[in-house]
Amino acid sequence: MILKTPPRIVKSSFVKGATNKSHFPTEDLPEIAVAGRSNVGKSSLLRFLLNNRKLVRVSQTPGRTREVNFFSIETKEFQPFLMADLPGYGYAKVPVSMRKEWGVYITNYLYNREQLKLVILLVDARRGIQDAEVSFVNWLKEIKQPFIVVLTKIDKLPKTKWGNEQKKVFNKIFIKPLVFSSIKKLGVNELWQKISPYLMPAENNK
Ligand SMILES: Nc1nc2c(ncn2[C@@H]2O[C@H](COP(=O)(O)OP(=O)(O)OP(=O)(O)O)[C@@H](O)[C@H]2O)c(=O)[nH]1
Ligand SMILES: [Mg+2]
């Protein structure tokens, strides 16, 4: 099912923050994960997508989010699902040893989480796609994990440059990214359209 407008959210709630695998929710619900560098706007995107400012904490101190934060979402259009806000990678102020530890944690989650349907990879529009992100995309392709790429903070660039930034990303990974801004409230319809094929339609959807 592909939506023309965002789904009607009946309820969205914080499930838990998990610092290791044994804390991951065990319900067998389809899951969508939001990944990207620290400070790229993962939590802001979730807030805007779920239309719930109170639900998702936006970090004051980037790079400190160590846990995978799980949110459960009930809508009129789909069966319940979870969204996972992953810890950001590559924040310069974090010691290398800790960065490695996080890398392993996130990679294990992405590789082993059976209910994971889709990864939303965020790329900062001003920085463009970096080598680390290109490697990450290649790895997702290799493990056959479906994903989409979103250029965030697009409001920081004039509209005349958006197409060119999208093309630069395409030239490196052969995927056209969506443009998105949590501040200017841009791109949420397009994002839901990309997400919806990975969700199960509600049985009595009206
Ligand atoms: N201009 C602009 N700023 C944004 C946008 N999205 C997020 N920000 C800002 O970027 C900063 C980081 O946003 P977060 O949503 O906390 O980023 P994050 O990826 O969750 O960061 P970590 O949890 O530390 O990995 C905040 O100051 C946000 O206000 C956007 O679309 N446009
Ligand atoms: Mg965050």
Side-chain angles (χ1 to χ4, degrees), residues 152-166:
T152 56
K153 306 196 185 182
I154 200 73
D155 55 280
K156 301 251 186 180
L157 295 178
K159 206 168 181 178
T160 49
K161 292 201 172 155
W162 295 2
N164 199 36
E165 288 308 313
Q166 286 175 299

Side-chain angles (χ1 to χ4, degrees), residues 42-43 57-59 65 85-86:
K42 297 177 294 297
S43 305
R57 238 181 301 142
V58 166
S59 45
T65 323
D85 188 359
L86 300 181

Side-chain angles (χ1 to χ4, degrees), residues 47-65:
R47 266 185 168 185
F48 175 34
L49 195 68
L50 304 180
N51 194 19
N52 191 335
R53 285 189 65 77
K54 281 189 218 135
L55 187 65
V56 191
R57 238 181 301 142
V58 166
S59 45
Q60 300 301 321
T61 46
R64 296 289 166 80
T65 323

Side-chain angles (χ1 to χ4, degrees), residues 80-94:
F81 60 96
L82 296 181
M83 293 204 72
D85 188 359
L86 300 181
Y89 58 85
Y91 194 65
K93 285 186 185 155
V94 175

Side-chain angles (χ1 to χ4, degrees), residues 70-140:
F70 292 92
F71 302 90
S72 81
I73 297 101
E74 289 171 33
T75 63
K76 292 211 191 253
E77 288 79 2
F78 301 107
Q79 290 182 29
F81 60 96
L82 296 181
M83 293 204 72
D85 188 359
L86 300 181
Y89 58 85
Y91 194 65
K93 285 186 185 155
V94 175
V96 175
S97 60
M98 216 186 253
R99 268 189 263 165
K100 279 196 182 140
E101 201 181 295
W102 289 2
V104 171
Y105 178 47
I106 299 169
T107 327
N108 280 341
Y109 162 81
L110 293 168
Y111 193 71
N112 296 314
R113 188 80 171 150
E114 271 175 34
Q115 48 276 72
L116 182 64
K117 302 292 177 215
L118 179 72
V119 173
I120 304 175
L121 172 65
L122 273 53
V123 172
D124 189 322
R126 288 166 311 170
R127 301 174 67 112
I129 190 156
Q130 314 265 307
D131 289 349
E133 286 146 347
V134 174
S135 313
F136 184 55
V137 161
N138 288 335
W139 179 72
L140 291 172

